[in-house]
Amino acid sequence: MVENYSSGIRPDFCPGCGNFGIFAALTKAFTDLKLDKDNTMVVAGIGCSSTMVQAFSCYGIHSLHGRLLPVAMGAKLANNDLTVLGIGGDGDGYGIGSAHLIHVARRNIDMTYVISDNQTYGLTTGQTSPTGLIGYKTKSTPFGDIENPLNPIALAISAGATYVARGFSGDPAHLAELIKRGISHKGFALIDVYSPCVTFNYLNTYDWFKNGVYKLEGTGYDPKDKHAALVKALEPEESDYKRLPIGVFYEEERPTYESMDITLKKGPLIKQPMPTKEQIASFLNENR
Ligand SMILES: Cc1ncc(C[n+]2csc(CCOP(=O)(O)OP(=O)(O)O)c2C)c(N)n1
């Protein structure tokens, strides 16, 4: 039987929003991987992109702005048999939530984080975000953005993420393959998705992306080489955003946090017996 991952709630993005492509790619990835709905959890932050958590019929939490990673990590550590995904915007993940990103990446928690990177705070009606480009005019930067944009791919690789990819919401079939590979990867997978905000971002439009994106696959690029990955991550800024590589930048096999944690080696926490009152009391006494 083909699982239906739709909750029946339709995402209410603006017509033409890139998030539709991300939603389609996620649905395709879930379907192709035949994910068990009872064993899958999607955790979202707050933002337009985050609202898509409601459209899936697996477990889901709409958490706080910038706090999806601590919630997702908590879920994974409570039950490391779960397939955990995070979905949110660039403001959520690279702004208010950026410190969490660094530490979840270095711990190599086994989860997949898909970021809808529209270079804008969509839900709050179009302020510039940490990935907004210099010169980008918004309500918060009426004379153009003067802050250097953050490079999410370089950040994730240097922080220790073991799967780092970038897709384009205008190519959902390609994006679905990146998401499938990210979910199948054992460790922390970050998938940054170039995604036009047609309502508030008149700089990074579909045409702007289409003129720059090209696929790494088939170029002879080796995603196992960390140095090459960091050089490749710099390509957009060094080409003045004329060349925008998409595909897998980096992939490494490294033990996950869960596989090394002494308690989780005994199995998922939720399947382990609760400590007795006496055990807790003796533990507290020992550590006085
Ligand atoms: C702690 C906190 N600060 C600020 C906000 C207001 N807020 C809600 S969504 C958002 C930014 C949304 O942008 P992004 O994360 O890029 O997602 P998008 O809407 O573009 O998908 C902000 C600043 C909030 N909800 N909570």
Side-chain angles (χ1 to χ4, degrees):
M1 190 187 87
V2 178
E3 280 269 36
N4 176 1
Y5 296 94
S6 166
S7 67
I9 298 174
R10 285 159 54 90
D12 62 352
F13 310 132
C14 302
C17 174
N19 286 325
F20 283 112
I22 300 178
F23 179 63
L26 280 160
T27 304
K28 180 167 182 354
F30 289 7
T31 310
D32 288 359
L33 292 176
K34 299 188 173 58
L35 286 190
D36 175 3
K37 285 201 291 189
D38 293 341
N39 214 39
T40 302
M41 165 162 276
V42 176
V43 184
I46 299 293
C48 297
S49 42
S50 292
T51 62
M52 81 174 83
V53 63
Q54 300 164 14
F56 293 111
S57 54
C58 56
Y59 288 105
I61 299 182
H62 211 156
S63 72
L64 297 175
H65 188 43
R67 303 292 174 247
L68 79 85
L69 282 177
V71 175
M73 189 172 84
K76 186 71 186 181
L77 295 186
N79 180 7
N80 55 309
D81 276 349
L82 270 183
T83 298
V84 177
L85 283 106
I87 299 173
D90 45 305
D92 203 279
Y94 305 141
I96 190 169
S98 53
H100 300 304
L101 174 61
I102 293 168
H103 297 289
V104 171
R106 78 184 175 85
R107 289 177 189 139
N108 201 27
I109 304 286
D110 182 20
M111 64 166 287
T112 307
Y113 187 13
V114 177
I115 295 199
S116 169
D117 188 355
N118 58 10
Q119 286 110 316
T120 278
Y121 287 6
L123 191 73
T124 45
T125 69
Q127 297 79 21
T128 190
S129 93
T131 48
L133 299 186
I134 289 180
Y136 174 37
K137 286 191 180 170
T138 69
K139 286 176 184 167
S140 61
T141 55
F143 304 108
D145 197 348
I146 54 171
E147 296 178 11
N148 200 46
L150 182 145
N151 184 324
I153 304 292
L155 175 75
I157 296 169
S158 55
T162 49
Y163 176 91
V164 181
R166 177 175 261 153
F168 172 41
S169 60
D171 190 344
H174 178 250
L175 177 58
E177 294 309 311
L178 298 178
I179 296 172
K180 278 160 62 178
R181 197 160 147 187
I183 294 173
S184 307
H185 172 79
K186 280 267 156 245
F188 183 67
L190 177 93
I191 303 162
D192 179 86
V193 188
Y194 283 140
S195 184
C197 170
V198 293
T199 304
F200 296 112
N201 190 335
Y202 302 122
L203 175 63
N204 312 111
T205 59
Y206 279 99
D207 281 345
W208 188 91
F209 285 115
K210 280 183 186 160
N211 285 334
V213 291
Y214 74 94
K215 292 181 182 140
L216 288 172
E217 301 88 49
T219 62
Y221 177 76
D222 174 15
K224 304 274 179 221
D225 180 340
K226 196 167 197 170
H227 291 261
L230 284 166
V231 170
K232 190 50 86 179
L234 297 177
E235 191 171 314
E237 56 201 61
E238 289 183 345
S239 69
D240 201 18
Y241 298 92
K242 300 278 186 307
R243 288 176 60 76
L244 308 171
I246 56 171
V248 180
F249 281 73
Y250 185 58
E251 189 165 25
E252 171 196 348
E253 274 179 41
R254 201 176 80 225
T256 63
Y257 183 95
E258 305 90 281
S259 69
M260 293 185 291
D261 181 87
I262 192 157
T263 309
L264 297 184
K265 279 185 178 166
K266 291 184 240 158
L269 275 187
I270 56 152
K271 292 189 182 150
Q272 293 185 33
M274 292 289 283
T276 61
K277 269 189 194 161
E278 292 71 27
Q279 280 172 321
I280 293 172
S282 123
F283 175 79
L284 291 176
N285 280 334
E286 261 174 41
N287 289 285
R288 276 227 167 107

